[in-house]
Amino acid sequence: MALSSTLNLIKPLLILFLLHLPSHNSSYLEYSDALSRSILFFEGQRSGYLPNDQRIVWRSNSGLGDGWEVSADLTGGYYDAGDNVKFGFPMAFTATMLAWSVIEFGDSMPAGELRNALVAIRWATDYLLKTVSQLPNRIFVQVGDPIKDHSCWERPEDMDTARTVYTVEAPNTASDVAGETAAALAASSIAFRSSDPAYSETLLRTAVKAFEFADTYRGAYSDNSDIRDGDELLWGAAWLRRASQDDSYLNYIQNNGKTLGADDNINEFGWDNKHAGLNVLVSKEVLEGNMYSLQSYKASADSFMCTLTPDSDSSHIEYTPGGLIYRPGGSNLQHATIISFLLLVYANYLQRSSQSVSCGNINLGPTMLRQMAKRQVDYILGENPKGMSYMVGYSNYYPQRIHHRGSSLPSIKDHPQMIGCKEGSVYFNSSDPNPNVLVGAIVGGPGEDDAYDDNREDFRKSEPTTYINAPFVGVLAYFVANPNPS
């Protein structure tokens, strides 16, 4: 056998071996290792035709007929969590946060991991381009029936549930999904600007069209009454402003802020609420561009930072006894990773403009914000009361029974026979560790008392999601270059 063929055969095994090496506390190697794994995770969430260089080798092709019922190619993209549905809203947010991670912290990434991060972004944006390919009158927002999918426990390679395509036709509304898609494409256009200018231009041009749909037909697609669309419109406009430097988007943010709820000063950020992230993003225009007409956004960003500080008079965030940011509702680590990201981004903006945040009784400088973020990162990676890493495959003690279909069922490589919808229940109910390690996955995490039972059934704690990992990529990249911030 030729040497090159032999190397090709052992390469996947070598990668997995290296990924299982133990890490070391508070060192460059620790954060670098975690960064590599956090990006690798996205390969385990892929839908569609998998490439020859796929590193999560227990996965295979899936969802190859997605879109056929509407005569469209909707293959590709990501399953956002432990199920087999492709939700456009959280997937677009995942792409936005991966792109923002590269924009702010790509210079801190080792060259190979920067390439991997761009590959992870493109797997999402290639799909998102398909979802808006029939604008100006139609957008695809979801593939897969969640009720039918969630009634089954089967591998994505086996799924035989309905791959229903959810479509929004004008003048019906989808400002939330379309606005986030515009943000994702615009942010990604910045991330690809130097490495692939033509692709970058395609992303930006399509982002403009997606935003026009979102703004023309205002209103949320989602049935969830807690989800509004105004923040996504401002968020999309803010990213188009940053990507294009077009003053029309600056004017949009200035003139529509009050109407679209920017003054609500909601201290939340996630796939379904953009307020705190929007305020931090727009604050760059104030701090570094002297756009004082946007001062209200900076004031809201300052207020948000103060709420995170236990010693501040305006603090109102909850922490677990072990020091983890906690918000009720499940999947808590999404808050810890994304707030850590905002802390680091705002710290950079403040440092470059030589400013701090006044919280009444204390001043917050960049160093304090970074130290707050580091506490969250180190907790997630193992410095917590349980001594457990909440990133799968990192260190020697991590969750073994995550709520994830592909991870918990035998790989199609080892068990090529189909495992049907209900046949997978025996694996779901098993107390055995998952047979396939979803390296880099960050689970929902412990409760308000720092307790974590390694239980597959408890999806609020044991299910990983792409939008938990995406901001953590940027956070880890910062600490690779700055393991002890000052």
Side-chain angles (χ1 to χ4, degrees):
M1 182 181 292
L3 178 60
S4 59
S5 300
T6 303
L7 291 175
N8 286 335
L9 286 173
I10 67 172
K11 184 178 178 182
L13 297 175
L14 179 61
I15 290 171
L16 289 176
F17 170 76
L18 292 173
L19 287 168
H20 282 80
L21 290 176
S23 54
H24 305 281
N25 290 331
S26 301
S27 69
Y28 168 86
L29 289 175
E30 177 185 10
Y31 296 122
S32 179
D33 184 38
L35 173 64
S36 300
R37 295 166 193 259
S38 70
I39 300 171
L40 178 63
F41 157 75
F42 291 94
E43 296 192 17
Q45 298 301 112
R46 285 172 168 173
S47 181
Y49 291 94
L50 302 189
N52 291 332
D53 59 357
Q54 169 81 10
R55 295 178 295 166
I56 299 286
V57 294
W58 47 265
R59 281 295 323 281
S60 191
N61 300 335
S62 63
L64 302 185
D66 284 358
W68 70 268
E69 69 174 39
V70 293
S71 301
D73 174 13
L74 294 176
T75 57
Y78 290 117
Y79 307 115
D80 76 309
D83 54 16
N84 300 325
V85 182
K86 296 193 297 199
F87 296 100
F89 198 3
M91 194 194 307
F93 180 67
T94 294
T96 307
M97 294 310 300
L98 281 172
W100 200 2
S101 292
V102 167
I103 292 165
E104 300 289 351
F105 305 112
D107 289 345
S108 298
M109 296 181 184
E113 295 311 329
L114 176 57
R115 287 193 297 272
N116 289 333
L118 289 172
V119 168
I121 296 169
R122 187 159 186 159
W123 198 270
T125 53
D126 280 353
Y127 173 80
L128 294 174
L129 288 172
K130 296 176 181 180
T131 68
V132 293
S133 62
Q134 297 187 16
L135 287 174
N137 298 314
R138 174 190 278 187
I139 180 174
F140 303 111
V141 298
Q142 182 176 313
V143 179
D145 184 321
I147 295 176
K148 293 179 179 178
D149 180 90
H150 292 173
S151 70
C152 293
W153 195 259
E154 59 185 347
R155 302 174 296 202
E157 295 85 359
D158 285 337
M159 60 182 168
D160 50 3
T161 53
R163 300 301 288 170
T164 306
V165 176
Y166 294 76
T167 306
V168 176
E169 304 269 3
N172 295 307
T173 62
S175 294
D176 43 5
V177 184
E180 185 60 61
T181 301
L185 298 176
S188 299
S189 77
I190 303 172
F192 281 100
R193 187 165 290 161
S194 61
S195 63
D196 195 337
Y199 188 62
S200 171
E201 177 57 35
T202 297
L203 293 172
L204 182 55
R205 184 173 60 249
T206 310
V208 171
K209 296 178 182 178
F211 182 77
E212 288 173 352
F213 184 93
D215 192 41
T216 301
Y217 308 107
R218 289 191 182 185
Y221 159 75
S222 174
D223 292 331
N224 187 339
S225 60
D226 294 331
I227 296 177
R228 300 290 184 262
D229 59 290
D231 52 331
E232 269 79 37
L233 289 170
L234 293 169
W235 177 245
W239 274 112
L240 280 163
R241 161 65 180 174
R242 184 154 176 184
S244 68
Q245 291 300 300
D246 188 326
D247 285 344
S248 67
Y249 297 111
L250 177 64
N251 295 334
Y252 186 98
I253 300 165
Q254 291 172 335
N255 299 333
N256 291 278
K258 187 165 187 172
T259 304
L260 295 176
D263 293 343
D264 293 349
N265 197 21
I266 298 173
N267 292 316
E268 293 184 21
F269 187 42
W271 67 265
D272 57 351
N273 193 319
K274 306 306 181 307
H275 283 90
L278 168 69
N279 293 330
V280 168
L281 177 64
V282 176
S283 293
K284 180 180 172 66
E285 297 266 9
V286 182
L287 290 165
E288 299 181 19
N290 298 319
M291 294 287 182
Y292 296 113
S293 60
L294 301 172
Q295 180 64 33
S296 63
Y297 290 91
K298 180 186 176 297
S300 294
D302 286 352
S303 174
F304 177 65
M305 297 299 153
C306 293
T307 67
L308 302 175
T309 310
D311 296 332
S312 166
D313 290 340
S314 55
S315 172
H316 67 245
I317 198 166
E318 184 178 348
Y319 287 84
T320 68
L324 178 68
I325 288 171
Y326 179 77
R327 286 187 170 170
S331 195
N332 181 61
L333 288 185
Q334 66 180 306
H335 304 300
T337 62
I338 209 155
I339 288 173
S340 297
F341 181 89
L342 293 182
L343 286 166
L344 293 177
V345 170
Y346 208 55
N348 281 357
Y349 295 170
L350 291 172
Q351 182 168 351
R352 289 198 288 264
S353 57
S354 301
Q355 295 196 39
S356 61
V357 176
S358 174
C359 298
N361 59 320
I362 62 170
N363 278 339
L364 292 178
T367 298
M368 186 175 294
L369 297 182
R370 289 165 179 153
Q371 289 171 344
M372 290 166 61
K374 187 176 188 299
R375 178 70 193 93
Q376 299 304 303
V377 173
D378 291 348
Y379 184 109
I380 292 170
L381 295 181
E383 290 187 8
N384 56 63
K386 288 188 69 69
M388 170 182 276
S389 163
Y390 291 106
M391 176 184 283
V392 174
Y394 180 87
S395 85
N396 296 318
Y397 183 38
Y398 55 81
Q400 302 284 326
R401 299 165 187 83
I402 67 173
H403 184 95
H404 189 277
R405 286 158 175 76
S407 172
S408 66
L409 289 153
S411 168
I412 196 168
K413 308 288 179 67
D414 299 326
H415 189 292
Q417 298 80 16
M418 180 175 176
I419 301 174
C421 170
K422 300 302 182 183
E423 294 171 3
S425 298
V426 64
Y427 299 99
F428 175 75
N429 294 321
S430 170
S431 61
D432 292 339
N434 288 8
N436 308 307
V437 180
L438 184 56
V439 175
I442 302 172
V443 296
E448 60 187 328
D449 55 356
D450 296 302
Y452 182 85
D453 296 323
D454 195 1
N455 182 354
R456 193 176 297 114
E457 295 183 24
D458 189 355
F459 65 90
R460 290 178 178 84
K461 291 184 177 182
S462 65
E463 186 171 22
T465 71
T466 57
Y467 47 87
I468 296 177
N469 268 64
F472 209 53
V473 169
V475 170
L476 290 169
Y478 173 82
F479 286 112
V480 165
N482 307 276
N484 296 296
S486 59

